[in-house]
Amino acid sequence: MDWRAFWNGRHSIYVNDRHRTVHYTRVADDIIAMLPRADAIVLDYGCGEALFAGRVAERCGTLYLSDAAPSVREKLAARHAGDPKIAVLK
């Protein structure tokens, strides 16, 4: 199995839900800490589930989410469909 197929299917890389939440919180916090200004355009390449993308989008101009796994992109697009500051790239 290649890496794209792995991420596109069911997997369990996290020990539990808390581990998953801590991971994505840290990623979001790290992105926010690096923003040069409030209108920055941000690309999160290989974003995975991007659980806290909304928090990042609140602090920047536009947030582009990119992931190679089609199932991940579909879930992201559905979750952020109503947010004009978040775009999921294909």
Side-chain angles (χ1 to χ4, degrees):
M1 173 185 307
D2 68 4
W3 65 270
R4 191 172 301 156
F6 174 81
W7 289 109
N8 201 43
R10 290 185 58 127
H11 58 80
S12 58
I13 64 166
Y14 301 105
V15 174
N16 54 35
D17 284 338
R18 181 176 184 277
H19 179 213
R20 180 173 162 253
T21 299
V22 168
H23 167 87
Y24 282 107
T25 299
R26 179 65 188 262
V27 171
D29 289 347
D30 287 350
I31 292 171
I32 290 167
M34 294 174 45
L35 294 175
R37 59 188 191 276
D39 65 342
I41 297 172
V42 178
L43 169 62
D44 186 349
Y45 184 79
C47 63
E49 297 174 73
L51 295 181
F52 298 99
R55 283 184 46 217
V56 177
E58 289 173 358
R59 300 290 210 66
C60 69
T62 304
L63 173 61
Y64 291 98
L65 300 175
S66 174
D67 199 276
S71 66
V72 173
R73 289 193 310 268
E74 289 170 10
K75 290 174 189 172
L76 289 168
R79 192 166 75 229
H80 299 293
D83 193 331
K85 293 182 77 176
I86 299 177
V88 179
L89 303 176
K90 294 181 182 184

